[in-house]
Amino acid sequence: MCGIVGVVSKKQIVSNVIEGLKKLEYRGYDSAGVATTTGDGIKNIRTIGKMKNLVKALAKTSIEGSCAIGHTRWATHGKPSLVNAHPHVSHDNIAVVHNGIIENHLALKSFLLNSGYNYQSDTDTETIAHLIHNILLSEKDLLKACIKCMKMLHGSFAMAVICDDMPDKIILAKNACPLVIGIAANEKSVASDVSALPQSIEHVIYLEDGDLAEITANSYQIYDESGQKVHREKFRPHPNSFSKGKEAYDHYMQKEIYEQPKVAQLAMSGRIENNRVTDNFISHDLKMVLKKLENIHIVACGTSYHAGLVAGYWIEKLVKVSCRIDIASEYRYRSPVVPKNALFITISQSGETADSLAALKFAKKSGYLFTLSVCNVDNSAICRESDETLLTKAGIEIGVASTKSLTSQLIVLGLLTLKLAEIKNIEPRIVKKMTKELSTISAVLSQALHQSKKVKALAESIANKDHVLFLGRGQHYPIAMEAALKFKEISYIHAEAYAAGELKHGPLALVDNNMPVITVCPNDQLLDKLISNIEEVKARGGQMYVFADKTCNSKIKNNNHIDFENCGQFISPIVFNVPFQLLAYYVGVIRGNDVDQPRNLAKSVTVE
Ligand code: F6R
């Protein structure tokens, strides 16, 4: 999604803004730009395509300044083009970068056109620049003008505004999109993501909805929407917020797949002792909630939704607590009925996904006992909005496609399932056995990664196909769904997932000798049923590939299969997900795709 960076300092800082924007590249974007005050009119430079184009364009100019804002744009209003790229400037005096969507921009635009403003772009952001310019004609103070402007805007926004007449300050405003201030002694910065702030910052401040702020090199002040000063807490930035780069890997996605054994250790660390989930894994308040819990609603998007689906299988099977899992954008608008004694869980890597955040806000008013989030980014909007957060501790994820996040989410949800069973005093012996099994996850993931050569060979044989089907049953059906999602977003090949038992109810019509069908085959109580489904595909000439548990080898009569060590039934979905990530990665690389920033996609989807 769009990214914002701004720096105000005593020294020249355009290159710092560029460095910050480069750190936001991973989020996906189609154009980029930077603007600075000079005291002699705003200087603005924008390019379409990747950041390297902006860097090249800048090298040909002498643009410098000590107060600058920059942006990476992911088109929402108006196609990706030079005129639509941010910053947007009004009368060489006001420059604005903006994330989000201004819903009433057409009405405001019509007023501004009637007042003589000329538009260069199709964006809603240009309206903000002209509006502030217009208000400044009578207001004279940039902060006051921004407060007035913010009151007139409907929608979601995070924005940074500079004014050449007041060249040493940046005004910030936030509503429903993330914005964070970075504080250092003689320099203040702003970004839509902590990772884009300069690493030299000493503290960060997360702005809240309705906040405005004025930052200068030596000061900062935050205001509420009526212009009253407000206090917001300062935090030390977490070292995990900053990326260490690709290291020896070719791509971030590859690095993040291979990091998973380590990520698993971090997600587990301090959370299991003597084959028991530790008491401090959850708060006393949550423990009280779990005691009387009768229902769970889990809400998330994309890969995080798939984590929720797996957790639903675990919780209902072991704890017998009813669990409903929804896609966030569906949940809010389906008039959900909140059952008795229900817990609401939001799962999100970024903690900023607009649909999940909106669902959480909706749930908070709907009568749940408690709201819990499972989240990777501490202090993100979803964490701040939830009663409690279980952090997944996966570290910053740069690849747009979620990989290590899912593994860490599943581990945390697995721990929660075990804790819930313990609190409800269900099957202590089985819970202990499952806890032991979960403790082996890091080693088992390393073993699974050892099969990468075989997965690569499979990738070579299907990389030229147009369609692929993924099958799974039971708690592995969400893994097939995740496999299809990862495959389509990285390879751009059409992929679909089916519950294997559903095949003969329609999708079998697609199967012929040109259709690869890939199934996940654990050794569980559904094995015989799955083998029948495999036979159904083979009887229609389909190209069947099986990711199988080694211990069911003798039963599967199929030439194309890759074996994995038996890992136990509880953690099996976490383990079988890994070869599917590798498959998507290798096919994407073979096809020459940008696997870290797949086309049309963005990380952290902050608009609904
Ligand atoms: C897929 C992917 C997305 C995200 C989804 C939710 O690879 O990355 O589907 O899972 O946008 O994002 P978070 O987890 O940040 O809420």
Side-chain angles (χ1 to χ4, degrees):
M1 286 265 110
C2 302
I4 289 176
V5 177
V7 182
V8 52
S9 182
K10 295 276 177 208
K11 45 184 201 208
Q12 312 275 282
I13 43 70
V14 171
S15 60
N16 300 20
V17 173
I18 297 297
E19 282 315 304
L21 291 178
K22 282 184 186 165
K23 291 183 202 150
L24 290 177
E25 283 193 279
Y26 76 96
R27 288 173 159 244
Y29 65 104
D30 47 61
S31 51
V34 63
T36 179
T37 57
T38 65
D40 189 25
I42 294 279
K43 291 280 176 281
N44 187 25
I45 184 148
R46 301 174 291 175
T47 49
I48 50 173
K50 297 288 180 194
M51 275 300 296
K52 61 178 185 226
N53 299 343
L54 182 63
V55 172
K56 260 194 216 157
L58 265 170
K60 291 188 196 141
T61 70
S62 54
I63 291 185
E64 251 318 343
S66 56
C67 178
I69 53 177
H71 193 260
T72 48
R73 174 172 189 256
W74 189 81
T76 53
H77 280 76
K79 62 182 187 201
S81 68
L82 202 56
V83 286
N84 288 336
H86 300 210
H88 287 281
V89 177
S90 185
H91 294 80
D92 281 342
N93 193 32
I94 299 291
V96 177
V97 290
H98 157 235
N99 292 352
I101 294 174
I102 304 302
E103 286 158 7
N104 60 336
H105 84 106
L106 287 177
L108 295 169
K109 183 172 179 175
S110 132
F111 156 75
L112 289 161
L113 287 171
N114 285 336
S115 309
Y117 283 86
N118 290 320
Y119 272 71
Q120 312 292 323
S121 77
D122 309 315
T123 66
D124 48 351
T125 306
E126 191 177 354
T127 291
I128 306 175
H130 293 322
L131 192 57
I132 294 172
H133 180 272
N134 183 263
I135 299 170
L136 264 180
L137 296 176
S138 51
E139 189 50 71
K140 304 294 175 212
D141 178 76
L142 183 60
L143 174 70
K144 285 189 182 149
C146 288
I147 292 172
K148 274 197 177 163
C149 168
M150 193 166 154
K151 283 190 182 139
M152 296 167 78
L153 303 178
H154 301 165
S156 57
F157 49 84
M159 60 186 173
V161 183
I162 53 175
C163 172
D164 206 55
D165 287 345
M166 293 159 243
D168 57 356
K169 63 175 75 165
I170 307 179
I171 305 294
L172 315 173
K174 169 187 157 40
N175 187 42
C177 288
L179 204 57
V180 56
I181 300 176
I183 298 170
N186 290 316
E187 187 170 291
K188 306 291 172 282
S189 45
V190 60
S192 46
D193 184 323
V194 183
S195 65
L197 292 171
Q199 288 207 24
S200 54
I201 52 166
E202 289 142 23
H203 290 100
V204 293
I205 296 178
Y206 296 89
L207 292 182
E208 293 183 10
D209 286 347
D211 282 356
L212 289 108
E214 178 174 288
I215 57 173
T216 68
N218 290 324
S219 68
Y220 65 89
Q221 181 60 57
I222 302 166
Y223 303 87
D224 66 14
E225 49 209 331
S226 62
Q228 296 300 310
K229 288 182 182 177
V230 285
H231 173 75
R232 301 283 174 242
E233 212 178 322
K234 282 195 293 190
F235 297 91
R236 290 227 168 259
H238 195 285
N240 268 358
S241 309
F242 302 104
S243 164
K244 297 193 181 76
K246 283 196 282 237
E247 295 172 345
Y249 294 94
D250 295 331
H251 303 97
Y252 281 105
M253 182 178 179
Q254 185 190 25
K255 177 184 172 216
E256 287 158 5
I257 292 172
Y258 277 89
E259 261 174 9
Q260 290 177 110
K262 175 88 190 306
V263 161
Q265 275 172 6
L266 291 171
M268 303 274 293
S269 150
R271 288 170 163 177
I272 292 185
E273 251 172 45
N274 302 324
N275 293 322
R276 191 179 153 258
V277 179
T278 51
D279 289 332
N280 62 9
F281 173 60
I282 54 170
S283 69
H284 177 74
D285 286 356
L286 179 53
K287 187 175 172 185
M288 293 301 115
V289 168
L290 296 188
K291 268 190 177 162
K292 57 177 173 184
L293 186 69
E294 290 176 73
N295 292 282
I296 298 179
H297 279 179
I298 302 181
V299 168
C301 303
T303 295
S304 298
Y305 167 67
H306 297 149
L309 290 175
V310 174
Y313 280 93
W314 285 338
I315 292 168
E316 292 206 337
K317 187 171 176 201
L318 179 68
V319 197
K320 313 278 182 271
V321 165
S322 152
C323 202
R324 174 163 182 160
I325 300 96
D326 268 294
I327 292 170
S329 54
E330 288 297 314
Y331 168 82
R332 272 188 78 198
Y333 300 107
R334 73 166 171 80
S335 309
V337 174
V338 180
K340 206 173 135 219
N341 289 331
L343 168 68
F344 184 87
I345 305 180
T346 322
I347 308 172
S348 175
Q349 185 286 126
S350 60
E352 303 289 352
T353 300
D355 287 317
S356 304
L357 182 60
L360 168 59
K361 287 184 177 165
F362 173 88
K364 281 183 79 176
K365 293 187 240 141
S366 308
Y368 289 89
L369 284 179
F370 198 81
T371 56
L372 174 68
S373 57
V374 173
C375 191
N376 192 33
V377 181
D378 197 5
N379 264 311
S380 56
I382 286 177
C383 297
R384 295 197 303 272
E385 200 69 35
S386 308
D387 293 327
E388 183 161 332
T389 299
L390 297 173
L391 287 174
T392 54
K393 306 183 189 174
I396 184 167
E397 189 177 65
I398 301 283
V400 163
S402 269
T403 52
K404 62 177 180 172
S405 291
L406 177 60
T407 293
S408 61
Q409 288 167 346
L410 287 173
I411 289 171
V412 168
L413 290 163
L415 291 164
L416 182 66
T417 307
L418 297 170
K419 194 76 202 162
L420 180 58
E422 181 196 287
I423 288 169
K424 292 208 173 279
N425 199 20
I426 290 167
E427 309 268 21
R429 206 179 45 81
I430 295 180
V431 169
K432 193 169 178 184
K433 187 170 161 268
M434 289 169 76
T435 312
K436 254 188 179 169
E437 192 183 306
L438 187 56
S439 309
T440 64
I441 184 69
S442 173
V444 178
L445 289 173
S446 299
Q447 275 173 357
L449 287 164
H450 285 146
Q451 295 295 47
S452 63
K453 272 200 185 126
K454 290 185 185 160
V455 178
K456 194 171 181 190
L458 166 57
E460 273 153 12
S461 64
I462 62 169
N464 61 352
K465 300 289 178 186
D466 294 324
H467 310 276
V468 178
L469 284 184
F470 290 90
L471 304 180
R473 291 193 80 123
Q475 60 178 5
H476 293 83
Y477 171 42
I479 297 306
M481 293 167 79
E482 171 63 11
L485 174 64
K486 211 91 311 170
F487 198 81
K488 67 182 88 160
E489 67 184 327
I490 302 299
S491 71
Y492 313 154
I493 296 173
H494 171 233
E496 281 199 69
Y498 278 95
E502 192 62 10
L503 206 57
K504 52 187 165 299
H505 298 289
L508 209 46
L510 292 171
V511 173
D512 60 14
N513 58 10
N514 205 23
M515 172 67 94
V517 182
I518 307 176
T519 189
V520 45
C521 184
N523 192 356
D524 60 15
Q525 73 281 10
L526 294 170
L527 177 61
D528 290 335
K529 306 253 176 246
L530 186 69
I531 287 174
S532 304
N533 304 136
I534 292 174
E535 291 306 319
E536 286 162 13
V537 173
K538 285 168 63 186
R540 273 89 189 161
Q543 298 173 12
M544 190 76 224
Y545 300 89
V546 184
F547 288 0
D549 181 323
K550 219 176 187 170
T551 56
C552 50
N553 244 346
S554 57
K555 286 196 170 182
I556 309 168
K557 308 262 176 302
N558 191 61
N559 295 337
N560 300 318
H561 68 261
I562 303 177
D563 288 337
F564 294 86
E565 296 295 333
N566 180 274
C567 58
Q569 288 190 19
F570 180 38
I571 63 170
S572 171
I574 314 181
V575 178
F576 272 109
N577 180 47
V578 169
F580 287 117
Q581 295 173 340
L582 285 169
L583 183 68
Y585 169 73
Y586 286 128
V587 173
V589 171
I590 292 166
R591 290 169 67 98
N593 297 348
D594 184 344
V595 293
D596 284 338
Q597 289 168 39
R599 69 182 179 202
N600 304 339
L601 297 183
K603 195 151 189 89
S604 189
V605 183
T606 49
V607 289
E608 271 192 67

